[in-house]
């Protein structure tokens, strides 16, 4: 079989396909886990509780305010808007009612529930156990009213089995002494985990697949040769690779490949940014998301990383580093001592493309043109977390084993 793409999803798929007894070739033009891949620069959250899609009932009412706020979490490239509009409308529609959000959450929970444990096992196998930690994740709010504003999301999470602890202002600041005093309520989710360095982790998974026998082709896949519904070869810029099955794991760049396999699904990039402050003197004890800036701050091996922002502008537009600067300003306001030492620290910026479906669920399942080709992409905000289970599912489909969870909610054919 051929795995197209060696991000978190592709690398996990390659490992699981080898485990299922398949012969594996990985097609990936870049260095696995490098900065070109979204898996490199994300926030590292293995948030098994991140089951609520970004668009919730009433989101449309908040959008103008977010867009008008120069420090807001959402940006639109206006020239791209006509292209993105159908996707945006579906995105808002899928979160229109609590019942729809609950359906999405129930499905996502089956994919994510034991992600920290699955990643712990994968990292140990790949020789990098230190990169995965399961110490819980923290959401910080400025007030109970702000938390109540998120009540629907927490109610939906609770119904899927997510449990949390509430930390009072005293408790929050005892545990997070560097956090700004405006945060007075902590919601701590003990079951969740995090990755200390996603790029290094994915590189280790890819190396582990190679050590297990996967062959690596440093080229780009361009399409498929399908005859009578059976896959004969994957087409690449360096010629054909003869094979009888394939998985499309090319993240935000999977759309054209899926269309070539008969499944033209609505995949869009939700562009996101990170900033890393090297040598930061202060920061969180627990990876933390703040409700006001909608960003995640977390120590990585390279420094203190803040990741977030959603920018709708397609795959090809140049980065707008002002979005990363917004994250930096939020980070400094979360940890005021950072601003005082700003001159003594180096700051790095990064842009990545979340591969996002409008209904908040990835595509995992056979393509329309051939059951030999499995789509495994579209994980949006939770692709690192969901990669371990997705790799198992893709391998099970291609090895003819019954998938361990229902794939009905993730079927590519749900888009018609
Ligand atoms: C700012 C930000 C923060 C995030 N935070 C989190 C988080 O905390 N937790 C979480 O779970 N998720 C998070 N995400 C989302 C997560 O990073 C993505 O969902 C995930 O990395 C997607 O993984 P992937 O393997 O599908 O894609 P990628 O990592 O993009 O990998 C795709 C690979 O396919 C290759 N490729 C592309 N085209 C071709 C081709 N034609 N032929 C062969 N190879 C090809 C690429 O080179 C790339 O290596 C975040 C994303 C962003 C942007």
């Amino acid at each position: 079989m051929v795995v197209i793409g060696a991000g978190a999803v592709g690398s996990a798929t390659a490992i699981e396909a080898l485990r299922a007894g398949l012969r594996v070739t990985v097609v990936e033009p870049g260095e696995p886990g490098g900065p070109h891949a979204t898996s490199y620069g994300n926030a590292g959250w293995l948030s098994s509780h991140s089951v609520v899609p970004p668009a919730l009932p009433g989101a449309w009412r908040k959008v103008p305010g977010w867009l008008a706020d120069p420090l807001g979490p959402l940006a639109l490239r206006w020239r791209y808007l006509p292209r993105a509009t159908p996707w945006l409308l579906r995105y808002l529609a899928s979160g229109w009612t609590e019942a729809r959000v609950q359906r999405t959450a129930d499905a996502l929970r089956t994919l994510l529930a034991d992600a920290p444990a699955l990643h712990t096992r994968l990292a140990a196998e790949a020789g990098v156990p230190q990169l995965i930690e399961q110490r819980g994740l923290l959401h910080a709010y400025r007030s109970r009213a702000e938390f109540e504003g998120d009540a629907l999301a927490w109610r939906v999470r609770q119904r899927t089995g997510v449990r949390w602890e509430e930390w009072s202002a005293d408790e929050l600041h005892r545990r997070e002494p560097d956090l700004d005093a405006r945060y007075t309520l902590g919601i701590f989710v003990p079951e969740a985990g995090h990755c200390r360095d996603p790029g290094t982790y994915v590189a280790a998974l890819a190396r582990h697949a190679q050590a297990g026998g996967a062959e690596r082709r440093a080229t780009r896949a361009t399409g498929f040769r399908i005859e009578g519904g059976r896959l004969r070869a994957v087409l690449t810029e360096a010629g054909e690779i003869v094979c009888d099955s394939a998985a499309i794991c090319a993240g935000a760049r999977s759309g054209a490949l899926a269309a070539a396999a008969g499944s033209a699904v609505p995949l869009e990039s939700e562009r996101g940014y990170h900033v890393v402050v090297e040598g930061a003197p202060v920061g969180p004890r627990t990876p933390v998301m703040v409700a006001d800036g909608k960003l995640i701050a977390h120590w990585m091996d390279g420094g203190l990383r803040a990741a977030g922002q959603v920018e709708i502008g397609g795959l090809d537009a140049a980065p707008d580093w002002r979005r990363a600067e917004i994250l930096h300003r939020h980070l400094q306001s979360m940890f005021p001592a950072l601003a005082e030492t700003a001159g003594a620290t180096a700051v790095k910026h990064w842009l990545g493309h979340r591969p996002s479906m409008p209904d908040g669920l990835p595509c995992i399942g056979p393509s329309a043109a051939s059951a030999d080709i499995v789509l495994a992409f579209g994980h949006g905000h939770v692709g690192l977390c969901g990669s371990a289970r997705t790799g198992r599912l893709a391998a099970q489909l291609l090895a003819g084993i019954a998938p361990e969870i229902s794939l009905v909610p993730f079927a590519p054919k749900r888009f018609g």
Side-chain angles (χ1 to χ4, degrees), residues 4-10 27-30 36-39 41-45 219-221 249-253 257 270 272-273 296 307-308 350 352-355 379-386:
I4 301 172
V9 175
V27 177
E28 163 62 59
H36 64 282
T38 312
S39 298
N42 57 62
W45 271 33
T219 182
R220 197 178 302 279
C249 309
R253 296 184 193 274
L257 290 164
E270 282 185 83
Y273 290 83
I296 292 173
W350 171 85
H353 296 278
R354 298 181 189 88
H379 297 72
H381 294 242
V382 293
L384 179 70
C385 182

Side-chain angles (χ1 to χ4, degrees), residues 53 70 87-88 95 97 110 132 136 169 184 198 207 263 284 295 297 345 348 366 378:
W87 185 91
L88 285 168
T97 64
T110 64
I132 304 295
T184 59
R207 270 199 313 276
S263 296
L295 69 147
T345 53
K348 286 187 180 158

Side-chain angles (χ1 to χ4, degrees), residues 128-342:
V128 287
Q130 75 285 1
L131 291 182
I132 304 295
E133 295 185 342
Q134 192 168 356
R135 296 192 287 114
L137 298 172
L138 177 63
H139 297 250
Y141 289 91
R142 288 171 296 178
S143 62
R144 184 154 292 278
E146 190 174 55
F147 172 61
E148 295 299 337
D150 274 355
L152 184 148
W154 287 103
R155 194 162 63 234
V156 168
R157 288 186 188 114
Q158 190 169 39
R159 287 193 209 106
T160 69
V162 173
R163 298 290 175 262
W164 60 86
E165 295 168 12
E166 275 194 27
W167 292 353
S168 64
D170 283 351
E171 180 73 0
L172 179 62
H173 291 285
R174 190 179 65 74
R175 298 198 189 222
E176 295 294 341
D178 298 332
L179 192 64
D180 187 64
R182 72 177 181 276
Y183 298 104
T184 59
L185 176 64
I187 301 294
F188 175 68
V189 183
E191 67 171 48
H194 69 273
C195 176
R196 289 196 61 89
D197 189 335
T200 304
Y201 176 46
V202 170
L205 294 183
R207 270 199 313 276
H208 181 54
Q210 272 182 269
E215 191 189 329
R216 162 98 197 283
R217 298 281 184 93
T219 182
R220 197 178 302 279
T222 54
F224 304 96
R225 180 153 62 81
I226 301 167
E227 291 165 5
R230 303 312 307 258
L231 178 66
R232 302 296 179 205
V234 168
L235 313 181
T236 78
E237 288 175 348
E240 282 193 5
I241 302 174
V242 173
C243 60
D244 55 13
S245 62
I248 304 175
C249 309
R253 296 184 193 274
S254 299
L257 290 164
S263 296
V265 295
L267 173 66
E268 186 52 78
S269 162
E270 282 185 83
R271 297 153 60 103
Y273 290 83
H274 86 208
V275 61
V276 174
V277 181
E278 291 174 346
V282 293
R285 298 336 186 235
T286 303
V288 58
M289 173 178 237
V290 288
D292 49 351
K294 299 208 181 309
L295 69 147
I296 292 173
H298 170 42
W299 292 102
M300 296 276 167
D301 286 343
L304 179 58
R305 178 180 292 184
Q309 291 282 311
V310 168
E311 184 187 41
I312 304 296
L315 289 167
D316 300 323
D320 177 356
W321 294 125
R322 287 173 305 180
R323 309 308 310 171
E325 223 10 74
I326 291 170
L327 294 172
H328 193 192
R329 284 175 62 182
H330 276 305
L331 192 62
Q332 289 178 332
S333 89
M334 285 166 71
F335 302 104
L338 264 187
E340 291 155 24
T341 56

